[in-house]
Amino acid sequence: MEFRDLKEQYKQNKEAIDRAIAGVIDNTHFISGPQVTELEKQLAEYVGVKHCIACGNGTDALLLALMAWDIKAGDLVFVPDFTFFSSAEVIATLGATPVFVDVDYDTFNMDVDSLKRAIEAVEEKERYRMKAVIVVDLFGQPARLDEIKKIASEYSMFLLEDGAQGFGGELNGKKACSFGDISTTSFFPAKPLGCYGDGGAVFTDNDDWAELVGSFRVHGKGKDKYDNVRIGMNSRLDTLQAAILIEKLKIFKEYEFDRCNEVAAYYTRELSGTVHTPVVLPDMRSSWAQYTVKFENKELRDKAAAVLKENGIPTAIYYAKPMHLQKAFADVPSNAEELQVSTKLCDVVLSLPMHPYLTEETVMKICRMIKEVAEA
């Protein structure tokens, strides 16, 4: 069994994907080919923003956004404590300081009250400049971006929406990756919309930031790639990946998003009352990058993972360690008392196979094994 069944996805869409790949090979325009521009156009239209700038990967997308805002040493950037490392890594890469914020136990996303307390705790430290908030749409569901955006605006901070896992999700009918002053996503193969390698994108309505990101991603180019007006990086999306993504975006819109919601409903129906199932708020729709349940304790979680593994069912722990306990951030001041939910989640979460090609029968099999462990 596959955790995210890319083999079956390819099998069912092989003709269209092969044709797209062959088209790039025939034209031999492997870098910055017309498919990249077409993908950017389609993604911007789907998300509902003015600009989409494709890039090399999701981490670069975050970094490019912060570079457009000139984030640097002495700046503070607020970020969830329960997230993938890159969400906070990019802050430190630019010499700025991450401020870790706790998350909501039910939704896994940034806790609004914890953000307020984190801001209050550093507000009087004049040597720091509060510059931005990075909000992660974890596991597919957008965070409370409407509320967080108001807080960021109140303190004159930028809002960066990390939609690497949230692409396709919705808040009040508005698409993820459209809420931030700048938003980003990742096309890592296992993401809701994934390519066959690495890829990412930056979204914004701001013309100046879009121009800066477009420059930074190609060595700080000016009028062309040999006119270098600033220090940038090499972060172009390959034409092959763009061609694949154009085809996979069709599949995502026509079938996969809705089907993942059906699969999630199977899980929730069978597991409610046995383990803590994911909570999707009434004004939200999730793209289900992961289906993550919570057990009562670490022992039960680990036992369930072992039983499933013995039966050929893969699982994953997202995430085993919060940001404030990562060795790389050992020198970053943090208040462990304010980060208790993130710490607890790391001991009890377990992500189950989730993709649009799972059958109800397979989900039932997985759930029976979980029930046997949890109810023993």
Side-chain angles (χ1 to χ4, degrees):
M1 185 184 300
E2 301 289 332
F3 188 74
R4 191 95 182 175
D5 201 342
L6 301 178
K7 294 178 183 177
E8 184 62 27
Q9 182 193 55
Y10 173 63
K11 179 181 175 182
Q12 293 198 22
N13 301 281
K14 183 179 187 301
E15 184 178 344
I17 293 171
D18 285 355
R19 186 168 56 247
I21 293 171
V24 176
I25 296 172
D26 286 343
N27 292 328
T28 66
H29 200 162
F30 298 114
I31 300 294
S32 302
Q35 291 89 337
V36 176
T37 302
E38 178 60 27
L39 175 68
E40 291 173 332
K41 177 186 174 184
Q42 291 189 21
L43 289 171
E45 289 175 354
Y46 176 76
V47 167
V49 297
K50 190 174 180 181
H51 302 285
C52 171
I53 307 96
C55 62
N57 55 71
T59 303
D60 282 358
L62 292 169
L63 189 62
L64 287 162
L66 297 182
M67 289 169 68
W69 293 333
D70 193 28
I71 300 298
K72 55 185 178 296
D75 293 339
L76 295 180
V77 180
F78 298 85
V79 64
D81 193 43
F82 186 71
T83 185
F84 183 61
F85 187 69
S86 64
S87 301
E89 179 185 27
V90 292
I91 302 167
T93 297
L94 295 175
T97 301
V99 180
F100 300 118
V101 178
D102 213 357
V103 298
D104 177 79
Y105 189 74
D106 289 331
T107 67
F108 308 105
N109 282 327
M110 182 178 279
D111 182 279
V112 175
D113 291 331
S114 180
L115 174 61
K116 291 177 181 177
R117 291 192 296 270
I119 291 172
E120 291 168 359
V122 301
E123 196 173 2
E124 297 180 359
K125 297 179 180 179
E126 296 180 1
R127 67 184 183 278
Y128 290 119
R129 301 179 296 271
M130 296 189 293
K131 292 295 291 289
V133 181
I134 298 178
V135 183
V136 181
D137 299 332
L138 204 66
F139 301 154
Q141 178 176 201
R144 290 263 37 130
L145 288 152
D146 46 358
E147 298 176 35
I148 294 170
K149 192 163 190 173
K150 291 177 183 177
I151 296 169
S153 296
E154 180 182 346
Y155 289 92
S156 299
M157 289 191 286
F158 298 116
L159 177 65
L160 174 52
E161 180 190 4
D162 179 352
Q165 297 184 26
F167 184 85
E170 297 178 4
L171 167 58
N172 289 322
K174 186 177 179 181
K175 295 289 186 186
C177 298
S178 68
F179 290 92
D181 296 307
I182 298 178
S183 302
T184 66
T185 197
S186 166
F187 302 125
F188 184 80
K191 293 294 189 285
L193 178 64
C195 58
Y196 287 171
D198 250 330
V202 177
F203 301 92
T204 186
D205 286 321
N206 186 289
D207 296 342
D208 293 335
W209 295 338
E211 184 178 353
L212 275 173
V213 169
S215 170
F216 281 130
R217 71 170 171 173
V218 189
H219 302 290
K221 74 178 182 69
K223 62 180 181 293
D224 60 55
K225 67 179 181 179
Y226 299 114
D227 173 39
N228 306 103
V229 298
R230 54 182 61 87
I231 301 299
M233 59 199 294
N234 179 19
S235 187
R236 296 165 295 192
L237 181 69
D238 291 346
T239 308
L240 276 168
Q241 302 301 344
I244 292 164
L245 284 164
I246 288 171
E247 296 305 319
K248 291 184 72 172
L249 180 59
K250 295 175 188 175
I251 304 162
F252 181 79
K253 292 190 291 186
E254 293 171 1
Y255 173 73
E256 292 190 339
F257 179 84
D258 288 335
R259 179 57 186 163
C260 278
N261 275 273
E262 291 175 6
V263 171
Y266 298 153
Y267 272 127
T268 300
R269 180 192 68 203
E270 294 301 317
L271 292 176
S272 291
T274 300
V275 292
H276 298 275
T277 54
V279 175
V280 178
L281 301 178
D283 52 359
M284 303 275 190
R285 291 195 77 196
S286 177
S287 57
W288 296 105
Q290 312 291 347
Y291 189 92
T292 301
V293 298
K294 299 186 288 285
F295 288 80
E296 290 301 321
N297 53 58
K298 186 177 186 299
E299 291 71 27
L300 270 178
R301 189 271 306 277
D302 292 347
K303 183 178 179 182
V307 168
L308 290 167
K309 183 178 180 181
E310 288 169 5
N311 286 274
I313 299 169
T315 61
I317 296 173
Y318 301 112
Y319 297 96
K321 187 183 293 186
M323 289 298 98
H324 78 279
L325 294 181
Q326 295 286 354
K327 183 178 180 181
F329 293 128
D331 295 332
V332 175
S334 60
N335 182 355
E337 288 298 311
E338 275 291 329
L339 302 169
Q340 293 187 40
V341 172
S342 295
T343 303
K344 178 176 174 57
L345 285 173
C346 292
D347 284 341
V348 299
V349 293
L350 187 68
S351 294
L352 308 176
M354 166 52 75
H355 56 81
Y357 304 96
L358 272 173
T359 65
E360 184 175 6
E361 180 182 5
T362 301
V363 172
M364 294 280 286
K365 175 185 175 182
I366 295 169
C367 292
R368 281 196 297 270
M369 294 180 193
I370 292 173
K371 288 178 180 179
E372 289 174 4
V373 172
E375 297 172 357

